[in-house]
Each structure stands twice: as structure tokens, then as C-alpha cells.
Amino acid sequence: MIIDVHGHYTTAPAALGAWRDLQIAGLKDPSKAPRASELKISDDDIRETIENNQLKLMKERGSDLTIFSPRASFMAHHIGDFETSSTWAAICNELCYRVSQLFPDHFIPAAMLPQSPGVDPKTCIPELERCVKEYGNVGINLNPDPSGGHWTSPPLSDRQWYPIYEKMVEHDIPAMIHVSTSCNPAFHTTGSHYLNADTTAFMQCLTSDLFKDFPTLRFLIPHGGGAVPYHWGRFRGLAQELKKPLLDEHLLNNIYFDTCVYHQPGIDLLNTVIPVKNVLFASEMIGAVRGIDPTTGHYYDDTKRYIESSKILSDADRHQIYEGNARRVFPRLDAALKAKGL
């Protein structure tokens, strides 16, 4: 089985975006604010957007199951207040759940949280609990920068995040560390802010002893880890200067990386530097990079091609990247598959 651990509902029906526009307009003029019940999206609307997009490409490219969460750039936690984010997160999480119910063999949900700048993260717990208990979510997306590119929140090692971590440990779910839209013009959202955040999250963990407090906590750092694999020597050296343990012991029992790296040399570097046990297959397809690479004639985000073409991975390695590691890092996913006899 080939499990893609990084999928977003980037093709959601247009009605979702139109409702969000009204919600944002309502922040200035409350008379324009829509009720959640006013959003009407039918099962047929969902089927059309999935069958003609994600599911079509999954079948063409040979992947079987996607961990599916709301569109990352749409999370936009910097907009409005906690109530704004709470309503928006509930709507988006329900849509991903409906996708998983309509296509149970191909999608399983992960949740966005109703984060808001300056608001205690523990306010996210009711939505997290609802998604795990009612929707069967197997993971969450955690935004280390709800301010949208201004980085006003404390590092992930700060105790303000601990209520979220306690729930993650209780429910045995990992978090993908994933920022949202940048409203800072210095940082392009997908080309800069996302990759900056991946690198920043890793360094925040490196400089702390977070995993001593939470030895079973698991973070998935997307987009191949940002700069991490390329600068592995720098990070090893910094850990040494800070009198931290070797990175294999200090971080690699808790931090994992996905394969959303859109060229062969990048995938080869990732799999040379990072142990196979820490790499999970992902594509984030129909995401930030949707075009065709003129040097290969294939889509940049068809990441399975890079894994298949690797000269350094064995068949056993590929199995771990495609399936084994995902089952281990996402135990609720593994349980759901076993319940189906898979």
C-alpha cells in the first residue's frame, strides 16, 4: 500500500471560498457575517471535486490512501479572532470528514486547529477532541506561527503549547507542523514562509529538551524538512555546541520528514542524510507546485517517480517510506487499516 501523508482539500467547492469571503467581510460589517448553516455543499459537489482531481491523480500515479486535511493556506489563523477560526476550522474539518466518508478506501482525515494569535492554545482542544472522537481523525496540523509570518508566538518548546501535546499523547496522534498564508510581504507563502517554518520548527526542537517532557510526542515536518537535510552538518554542529545529545538520539525518535520535495536530487539528498525510518511518503499534490517539469515532462509533485527512480533505496526501504513508517507514526491510521483487514 502507498500512503500519502500530506494531502489538502485544495479543490474544495467554490461555495467554501465564497462563504469565507463573507465571513471575512463580516468582521468589518457584522450584517454581512454568514451563519455556518448557510453554507450548502452537497455530496455530489464533493464527489465532483475529488473524483476529477485528487482521486484521479492518485489512480494515475499509483497511490492508495491520502491523509487529508483542510487547505493549509486557507487556515489563515491571523484573520479575525478565536471565534472566527473556531467556526472556520469546524466547517473545513467537517468537509474533510465528508470526503473520507464518501471515499473511505482512499482518504482519512486530519484536522486543522482553530488557532488565533495571542490566544491560549488550549482553546483548540474541544475541536481536536471532536475530530478524533467523532470524525476518526488520525492526526492534526499545528501552526507554529498563527500570526501569518510575523512569528509572535513563543517557540514550540514553550509550555503554552503543552496542553496540545498532552492531548496528542493521550490520543496517540502526531502533528504535522504546517504554517498557513503569510501576510508579511517579506515572505512568499509557499516558497519562503512554508520552508522557513519547517526549518524553524526543527531548530526550536533542537535547542530545547521538549522530548524529555514528551518522549512519545511525534512531529512530522513537511516539505522534506525545509533546509534541514541540506544543512544537517550545521545542525549537528550546533547541537554539539549546545551540549545536546547526538541528533539521532535527541530528535529522531520524535521528528519525521515527508517527501514533498519536487526534484530527484532533493529526494536523493533527503534519503541519503535522513534515516529511512524517519521518511514518510507524501506529495501535497494539487498544492503549491502544480506544473510540469520541462526537463522531465512529468509533474513536479509526482513524488512517487522520485522514490521509484532512487538508486540508493532498496525495496525494503521503499516499503517503509510508502507504508511502514506511516503506520508507525500514525497509530490510529494503522488501527483503521487493520480494522479493514489491511
Side-chain angles (χ1 to χ4, degrees), residues 93-113:
N93 287 331
E94 182 186 18
L95 273 180
C96 288
Y97 169 67
R98 289 175 64 190
V99 170
S100 73
Q101 293 299 104
L102 292 169
F103 302 95
D105 294 334
H106 299 289
F107 297 93
I108 195 163
M112 68 176 275
L113 299 180

Side-chain angles (χ1 to χ4, degrees), residues 78-93:
H78 62 279
I79 293 175
D81 56 15
F82 172 75
E83 291 302 321
T84 307
S85 288
S86 181
T87 302
W88 180 233
I91 285 172
C92 292
N93 287 331

Side-chain angles (χ1 to χ4, degrees), residues 36-333:
S37 60
E38 294 174 12
L39 175 60
K40 306 296 183 184
I41 295 176
S42 70
D43 287 353
D44 285 342
D45 292 334
I46 293 174
R47 288 190 187 96
E48 181 180 1
T49 60
I50 293 295
E51 289 175 344
N52 294 325
N53 293 289
Q54 283 87 353
L55 187 56
K56 176 176 179 286
L57 292 179
M58 287 170 65
K59 291 178 177 179
E60 289 177 358
R61 298 177 186 183
S63 62
D64 301 300
L65 178 68
T66 297
I67 298 177
F68 207 53
S69 62
R71 184 175 181 174
S73 62
F74 265 31
M75 294 191 298
H77 294 120
H78 62 279
I79 293 175
D81 56 15
F82 172 75
E83 291 302 321
T84 307
S85 288
S86 181
T87 302
W88 180 233
I91 285 172
C92 292
N93 287 331
E94 182 186 18
L95 273 180
C96 288
Y97 169 67
R98 289 175 64 190
V99 170
S100 73
Q101 293 299 104
L102 292 169
F103 302 95
D105 294 334
H106 299 289
F107 297 93
I108 195 163
M112 68 176 275
L113 299 180
Q115 296 176 247
S116 188
V119 177
D120 192 329
K122 71 174 59 172
T123 57
C124 297
I125 289 175
E127 181 66 13
L128 185 157
E129 293 268 16
R130 185 174 71 92
C131 288
V132 171
K133 294 178 179 179
E134 297 181 22
Y135 292 166
N137 283 36
V138 299
I140 60 172
N141 292 343
L142 183 65
N143 185 351
D145 174 38
S147 70
H150 295 289
W151 290 93
T152 57
S153 295
L156 291 169
S157 55
D158 190 89
R159 296 190 70 87
Q160 82 149 21
W161 298 100
Y162 277 28
I164 299 292
Y165 302 158
E166 289 164 0
K167 284 297 175 182
M168 289 171 57
V169 170
E170 176 186 338
H171 294 300
D172 205 11
I173 56 172
M176 177 177 284
I177 306 301
H178 206 309
V179 289
S180 185
T181 298
S182 170
C183 57
N184 182 338
F187 301 121
H188 181 277
T189 293
T190 55
S192 176
H193 186 43
Y194 282 15
L195 305 183
N196 290 345
D198 302 334
T199 309
T200 298
F202 184 84
M203 193 64 195
Q204 289 177 357
C205 294
L206 185 153
T207 56
S208 75
D209 294 312
L210 173 62
F211 300 123
K212 287 185 178 179
D213 288 346
F214 295 97
T216 62
L217 189 68
R218 298 182 302 282
F219 289 159
L220 176 60
I221 299 183
H223 320 115
V228 174
Y230 189 74
H231 285 289
W232 194 246
R234 175 179 289 261
F235 292 115
R236 289 178 58 235
L238 289 170
Q240 183 174 317
E241 291 183 13
L242 293 168
K243 310 300 182 186
K244 300 295 183 183
L246 295 176
L247 291 186
D248 284 7
E249 174 189 346
H250 185 43
L251 299 180
L252 292 188
N253 292 318
N254 306 88
I255 290 181
Y256 302 86
F257 305 85
D258 77 14
T259 64
C260 292
V261 180
Y262 297 145
H263 64 146
Q264 191 70 49
I267 287 287
D268 292 343
L269 173 69
L270 174 68
N271 287 309
T272 299
V273 174
I274 302 300
V276 166
K277 71 180 182 68
N278 291 86
V279 179
L280 282 68
F281 176 72
S283 68
E284 200 179 11
M285 67 180 180
I286 317 185
V289 182
R290 305 185 183 192
I292 293 176
D293 184 344
T295 65
T296 67
H298 299 293
Y299 285 95
Y300 286 100
D301 61 4
D302 185 359
T303 52
K304 182 172 177 284
R305 287 183 173 274
Y306 309 134
I307 303 299
E308 291 299 308
S309 298
S310 170
K311 300 293 194 293
I312 61 175
L313 294 173
S314 66
D315 288 344
D317 293 336
R318 290 185 178 90
H319 171 73
Q320 287 303 306
I321 291 171
Y322 284 146
E323 178 179 359
N325 295 338
R327 285 181 177 261
R328 180 166 49 85
V329 175
F330 292 84
R332 286 180 173 269
L333 166 65

Side-chain angles (χ1 to χ4, degrees), residues 10-24:
T10 55
T11 61
L16 179 66
W19 188 95
R20 176 63 161 172
D21 289 341
L22 289 175
Q23 186 192 38
I24 294 171

